[in-house]
Amino acid sequence: MNNYFTLLKILMICGSNQNNNSRRKVGNGKFGGVFSYLIILAAFAPMISGIAVSAAGMYAVLAEDGQQGALISMGISYGLIATLVSGFTTVIVYFYTSSDLQNLLALPLTPSVIVAAKFTLCLLQEYLYIAFSAAPLIIGFGLGAGAGVPYWIIMVLVLLLLPVTPLVYGGILAMLIMKFFKKIRNKNTLTVICFSVSIVLSLVIIFMQQSSNTQNLAAMQTAASKLGDRRATCESGTKAPLSVGI
């Protein structure tokens, strides 16, 4: 376990796909790796909070028709899609096109430790996609429902476990793809192939998700239209006294 945590710490600090030129530019790499994603998350935190507040406003409209559960269903669906598509490319990058594999294999580390550390690194990166896709809607549900402490504890556990299964499926898909393209040594070619497969996979999943969740999509669209009408009514109501006074 000590080797696992030590390797994970090094990969988080230095990154797992740094070549020699990039290391010279970055220096000791204290701001590389996964920590750069924390900066991205902090930068987009206002947008995430805005989506959560909007989802909380939609909760009351959805609750009128008993469709408030659509927020959680859509949030989980978006999170699964985002982690499955991004997990496929992440596994390709960290396990197949990374430039540190030869260096790690030369160290006195077991293959299980290397695989576990790299998988954990992939999982940490997937939490960024969860923060953008699933978290705002699930947080908005809790805010709109006025949920208590048990809900928020369960929500954290769900968000932590949500990307695990899609990442495993993405890893299996990556192994199948790399089995057919194992003779390709050019990283740029592999990148193009992975990007193309990701686009096709995302389109297929989105189509399947829309066809299977038509009720939730209709409820969300109806709630959005009702919420827009209510805001327009409130704005017109506040402007009406001014026109009378004039």
Side-chain angles (χ1 to χ4, degrees):
M1 293 298 292
N2 292 332
N3 293 333
Y4 164 75
F5 287 109
T6 302
L7 179 59
L8 179 61
K9 180 180 178 181
I10 294 174
L11 292 178
M12 290 179 62
I13 294 176
C14 300
S16 182
N17 197 33
Q18 304 286 340
N19 54 30
N20 294 331
N21 294 331
S22 61
R23 282 174 183 170
R24 293 191 187 101
K25 294 178 182 179
V26 175
N28 56 8
K30 290 183 178 180
F31 298 98
V34 176
F35 292 110
S36 60
Y37 293 101
L38 297 178
I39 300 176
I40 297 175
L41 182 62
F44 285 92
M47 184 189 70
I48 297 175
S49 60
I51 297 175
V53 172
S54 300
M58 295 180 64
Y59 176 88
V61 181
L62 289 171
E64 295 177 356
D65 299 327
Q67 298 292 332
Q68 64 271 22
L71 288 173
I72 295 181
S73 299
M74 296 299 292
I76 293 177
S77 298
Y78 291 152
L80 292 175
I81 293 173
T83 52
L84 178 60
V85 175
S86 62
F88 166 73
T89 55
T90 302
V91 170
I92 293 291
V93 170
Y94 283 103
F95 283 90
Y96 291 97
T97 64
S98 179
S99 60
D100 63 352
L101 291 176
Q102 295 180 353
N103 297 329
L104 293 177
L105 292 175
L107 296 175
L109 299 172
T110 60
S112 60
V113 172
I114 298 176
V115 172
K118 281 184 169 288
F119 182 84
T120 305
L121 194 64
C122 295
L123 184 62
L124 292 176
Q125 182 172 332
E126 293 306 307
Y127 288 136
L128 178 66
Y129 298 99
I130 290 295
F132 283 105
S133 57
L137 295 179
I138 298 178
I139 293 174
F141 180 92
L143 294 176
V149 176
Y151 172 83
W152 298 108
I153 296 176
I154 296 174
M155 184 204 71
V156 173
L157 294 177
V158 169
L159 293 179
L160 290 177
L161 297 176
L162 185 61
V164 175
T165 302
L167 184 59
V168 172
Y169 288 153
I172 296 174
L173 180 60
M175 288 188 293
L176 295 176
I177 294 297
M178 293 304 298
K179 184 177 181 180
F180 290 102
F181 298 100
K182 59 183 178 180
K183 295 182 179 180
I184 299 177
R185 301 298 180 183
N186 193 332
K187 293 183 179 181
N188 294 329
T189 305
L190 287 175
T191 302
V192 173
I193 294 174
C194 295
F195 183 73
S196 302
V197 173
S198 299
I199 293 177
V200 174
L201 182 63
S202 61
L203 292 177
V204 171
I205 293 176
I206 290 174
F207 176 78
M208 295 176 61
Q209 190 267 344
Q210 288 180 349
S211 61
S212 61
N213 292 331
T214 53
Q215 184 177 0
N216 291 334
L217 290 173
M220 295 288 287
Q221 292 175 356
T222 303
S225 61
K226 288 182 180 180
L227 189 60
D229 294 338
R230 291 182 181 181
R231 290 180 178 177
T233 303
C234 293
E235 291 179 357
S236 61
T238 54
K239 293 180 180 179
L242 295 178
S243 61
V244 174
I246 293 174

